Amino acid sequence: MQHPPITLRYFDARGRAQFLRYYFRVRKVTFTDDRVPLAPDFAPWRQIRDDRSRTGPFHKLPVLHWGDRLIAETLMIAAFVHEASGDAGALSDDDNLRHGMLTSSLCQDVMTPIGTLLWSELISPGADLGVVAKRTLERLELHLRALDQSLGEWRWLDKARNRRIMLVDCLLWEELHVAQQVFGPRLSLAQTPMLARFYDDFPARPTCEAALAEHPCPITARPEEAAAIAKIQQLLG
Ligand SMILES: N[C@@H](CCC(=O)N[C@@H](CS)C(=O)NCC(=O)O)C(=O)O
């Protein structure tokens, strides 16, 4: 893939950027992985937050620099990369719509609720973490069942076998990994056989696992995230 210099800027966390890191690595795209260090007082972030050349039009991350272009917003970054990589051109119109729908759904209905749960004690002091965790898990399980059905109807696994690995594949694997890390044994993929097969057999799985092992980092920038995850799992019983 021909491309200008690429920089992906995000926190030193998985959050909204890890799937892009996997993708560039799987597809052997050279890029600069610019990670803003985490700190309990967010000092490194506060230092750059108002620099619009680095944090984009909304002063948030991720931001992707593609040559002279700056792209903000996770969904727009995903759409841009899907197009610029030539992946969109390799799919039918219907399959492109499915890739877009799945990307949106994974970001908004899996990634965001899990991130909100991890932050909930800090962003909503006094919130009952046990109740929020239970409700988030129930809604996630329902959602995963819908995803599972759609992947079956879309013949996702068959089609994926006959094409290169694309961005939403990396996103799906990442979100399934994150969900299992947060909910532990309370979340089983046994009820969602398509997702379980996808997760287990994803050909880029070793590359994703190597990326995580080489640069371990939390899911979010929330201070003391590991303790929050342990508490969530204990509350869920
Ligand atoms: N709608 C944006 C949300 C981006 C966002 O909220 N990023 C967070 C990190 S996950 C951030 O930059 N927070 C810093 C802040 O709000 O000051 C997207 O989808 O990319």
Side-chain angles (χ1 to χ4, degrees):
M1 168 168 115
Q2 291 285 346
H3 62 84
I6 299 171
T7 295
L8 173 64
R9 182 167 305 103
Y10 191 62
F11 296 95
D12 189 13
R14 293 165 67 173
R16 298 178 200 265
Q18 189 67 23
F19 73 109
L20 292 154
R21 296 181 182 127
Y22 294 153
Y23 176 78
F24 289 142
R25 187 169 170 141
V26 168
R27 294 286 288 268
K28 301 189 171 27
V29 173
T30 310
F31 77 109
T32 302
D33 188 8
D34 183 8
R35 295 174 182 238
V36 178
L38 302 183
D41 61 356
F42 303 105
W45 167 240
R46 283 193 280 108
Q47 258 170 34
I48 65 160
R49 187 175 49 200
D50 295 331
D51 179 353
R52 294 167 65 84
S53 70
R54 288 202 273 177
T55 63
F58 310 127
H59 303 198
K60 286 186 194 289
L61 301 178
V63 154
L64 183 75
H65 297 268
W66 188 275
D68 292 338
R69 298 172 109 169
L70 180 156
I71 304 119
E73 290 294 308
T74 313
L75 288 177
M76 279 316 300
I77 294 171
F80 178 88
V81 170
H82 184 63
E83 191 70 44
S85 61
D87 290 353
L91 295 175
S92 69
D93 287 352
D94 281 344
D95 281 338
N96 269 314
L97 279 175
R98 290 170 185 143
H99 278 238
M101 291 190 284
L102 183 56
T103 302
S104 169
S105 176
L106 289 167
C107 285
Q108 312 216 52
D109 300 323
V110 180
M111 179 194 285
T112 299
I114 292 177
T116 306
L117 168 63
L118 292 176
W119 276 95
S120 64
E121 281 184 308
L122 301 189
I123 55 181
S124 312
D128 185 332
L129 184 62
V131 172
V132 180
K134 186 166 175 285
R135 192 72 194 115
T136 305
L137 176 59
E138 283 167 2
R139 287 179 60 79
L140 181 65
E141 284 176 327
L142 261 182
H143 192 65
L144 292 184
R145 267 180 241 144
L147 288 181
D148 196 69
Q149 185 176 351
S150 296
L151 290 198
E153 289 170 5
W154 295 346
R155 297 184 27 249
W156 193 272
L157 299 185
D158 290 346
K159 289 186 178 183
R161 255 192 298 280
N162 295 311
R163 58 161 171 75
R164 53 197 181 224
I165 288 168
M166 296 190 178
L167 190 55
V168 73
D169 301 317
C170 298
L171 176 60
L172 179 56
W173 192 85
E174 167 68 0
E175 292 316 309
L176 293 175
H177 190 280
V178 163
Q180 292 175 95
Q181 185 168 322
V182 171
F183 292 107
R186 283 303 310 275
L187 181 75
S188 162
L189 295 184
Q191 305 302 315
T192 52
M194 286 286 158
L195 295 180
R197 256 177 65 206
F198 172 87
Y199 183 74
D200 289 338
D201 301 345
F202 185 38
R205 181 178 178 153
T207 311
C208 300
E209 288 175 342
L212 289 174
E214 272 168 38
H215 199 130
C217 58
I219 298 165
T220 69
R222 181 218 198 277
E224 295 174 25
E225 182 188 89
I229 291 177
K231 191 167 169 189
I232 287 166
Q233 292 189 11
Q234 184 229 320
L235 287 166
L236 286 170

